[in-house]
Amino acid sequence: MRRLRNVKIVATLGPASNDYDTIRALHEAGADVFRLNMSHGSHDEIRERHRIIRQIEKDLESPIAILADLQGPKLRVGVFANDAEELEEGAAFRLDLDPAAGDITRVCLPHPEIFAALEPGARLLVNDGKIRLIVQDCGQDFAHCTVEVGGTISNRKGVNVPDVVLPLAALSAKDRDDLEFVCQLGVDWLALSFVQRAKDVFEARALADGRASILSKIEKPAAVEAFDDILDASDGIMVARGDLGVELPVSAVPPIQKRLVRKCRTAAKPVIVATQMLESMIESPMPTRAEVSDVATAIYEGTDAIMLSAESAAGSYPIEAVQTMNKVAIEVEADPTYHQIIAASRTAKGTTIADGIVAAAREIAEKTDIKAICCFTQSGTTALLTARERPGVPIIAMTPATGTARRLCLSWGCHCVMTPEQERFKGAVVSAARAARSGGFATDTDQIVVTAGVPFNVPGTTNILRIAPCDERLIYNTDPG
């Protein structure tokens, strides 16, 4: 299914989008990737959503990526005798391991690993930062705090600890069970929550054992500091602005977003910008102007994908939210300023033959009347390198590997086409021309750029570039081999 834009749209599924008709409508409206949030829904519900997506993929003959988002460890306070208390600024408040119900002076925080890492002066943020505590004194089983920002604290509210690296694995026991479950189902991407260091990614990769690509969610200050190592260890990145905006000043999030997107582009690894992009559309059929500008900003930065969370999972207007993102993307990418920004932010990297070929393909396509770049790819690497170039013409990623086609649905500009395994380059060029014509990218009178690796079906061998006519008679008359 051809999109008239390059940026991809990720839609989260949930109670508002859990049947065949709605999920198909979301895909037809523009959703390229479906996110299964493992924080919500039983395994039976997740399995059914997965089945529906694969049925739609089969019915429409359109590759669809499935992203399973692991919950990660959840840090929460215990319960209160009165269910809630009102903390006043300047008051003393204690957190400890005592399971007894809390009161106005204390509450249980059943996470000894937090106390092991705390130091005086560290901040504890409760209920998405609405309550802020400053640690004055702490030990292995307690923390005496002063209330910096007061408010209502109630049962099992979440806790963020932004100032220290916690000795917690990114994968809880639930995450390990969920990871094995979704890998057996056959998801394409695993989103890893609570990443603090590259070691967290290595653990998830070992458990996935090649069955899914690993996407690291950047939502903690420690992850921002260790980002280069995390990026090296990951297959993709999600800029998860929710917790990031809680643990860091909200004013710091936009420049961080811009830096992370730029680094991902340089590394040729897909990046998603996520959280509250069209938040008002949970309840309204129209977004705010600020939300539209937020979506547009991410697109202007060259992000691979933009994501809907509750808007498509639990909102009243899931299809309209996808349609809105789609319209904004088309409008932005038609803006001459967009192409200027993308070109100015392009960063050359790499000295391999493949790097040179994809750079040349982009240069030729933009300076001549070329309608598309068709890249044959086994593992997806050639398509990712081509996407890194952010060319001004469509990228047709041709692969015999179903998993590769699905994973590339997350990557900027990649229109994924399944093709039989090729043995001769002439046959590959003919297949590329047919894909360009049938997809509406070109006509018989047009030309395309074809990149491939010879011998075929060997990952990492991109070594040939051909300017080819879309008229098959001309291919057979002029192409060697």
Side-chain angles (χ1 to χ4, degrees), residues 40-165:
H40 305 288
S42 67
H43 280 191
D44 285 343
E45 290 171 326
I46 297 295
R47 182 184 292 107
E48 177 62 10
R49 289 169 188 162
H50 181 278
R51 184 196 67 77
I52 290 172
I53 295 167
R54 291 298 182 230
Q55 184 62 51
I56 293 168
E57 180 182 67
K58 180 180 179 181
D59 292 346
L60 297 180
E61 298 182 346
S62 174
I64 301 173
I66 301 178
L67 166 69
D69 195 333
L70 302 178
Q71 175 177 285
K74 291 298 180 184
L75 309 178
R76 301 183 185 277
V77 299
V79 299
F80 290 85
N82 297 325
D83 293 331
E85 296 287 352
E86 193 72 23
L87 300 186
E88 294 187 1
E89 181 180 337
F93 193 74
R94 174 186 169 99
L95 300 165
D96 55 44
L97 295 177
D98 184 352
D103 55 29
I104 192 67
T105 65
R106 62 156 295 277
V107 75
C108 178
L109 181 61
H111 302 286
E113 56 274 16
I114 293 181
F115 297 114
L118 283 179
E119 297 177 350
R123 292 171 298 158
L124 291 164
L125 311 178
V126 185
N127 192 15
D128 289 336
K130 294 181 176 65
I131 295 173
R132 294 174 180 262
L133 309 175
I134 303 296
V135 176
Q136 303 298 331
D137 185 27
C138 54
Q140 293 299 307
D141 58 358
F142 74 94
H144 291 300
C145 305
T146 298
V147 179
E148 182 181 47
V149 177
T152 302
I153 185 170
S154 55
N155 296 339
R156 300 186 180 88
K157 288 301 182 184
V159 178
N160 293 81
V161 190
D163 298 328
V164 296
V165 176

Side-chain angles (χ1 to χ4, degrees), residues 159-274:
V159 178
N160 293 81
V161 190
D163 298 328
V164 296
V165 176
L166 296 175
L168 280 172
L171 295 172
S172 64
K174 168 180 164 51
D175 293 326
R176 290 171 176 269
D177 289 342
D178 287 345
L179 185 152
E180 183 59 30
F181 169 70
V182 296
C183 281
Q184 289 185 11
L185 272 184
V187 301
D188 308 295
W189 288 90
L190 284 170
L192 186 62
S193 301
F194 207 82
V195 174
Q196 299 184 96
R197 60 220 142 195
K199 177 183 175 183
D200 298 329
V201 186
F202 296 144
E203 180 184 4
R205 188 177 296 284
L207 292 172
D209 194 24
R211 292 174 292 175
S213 295
I214 307 298
L215 186 142
S216 295
K217 294 168 67 176
I218 306 302
E219 52 192 346
K220 297 189 67 62
V224 175
E225 293 178 10
F227 182 71
D228 289 347
D229 290 338
I230 291 171
L231 178 60
D232 286 343
S234 307
D235 300 305
I237 295 292
M238 181 190 295
V239 185
R241 304 178 304 177
D243 280 334
L244 202 58
V246 171
E247 301 210 0
L248 289 166
V250 291
S251 58
V253 174
I256 289 172
Q257 173 180 314
K258 190 172 291 288
R259 290 201 305 273
L260 300 193
V261 169
R262 187 72 62 87
K263 287 187 175 186
C264 290
R265 284 181 55 189
T266 300
K269 294 186 178 182
V271 55
I272 304 170
V273 174

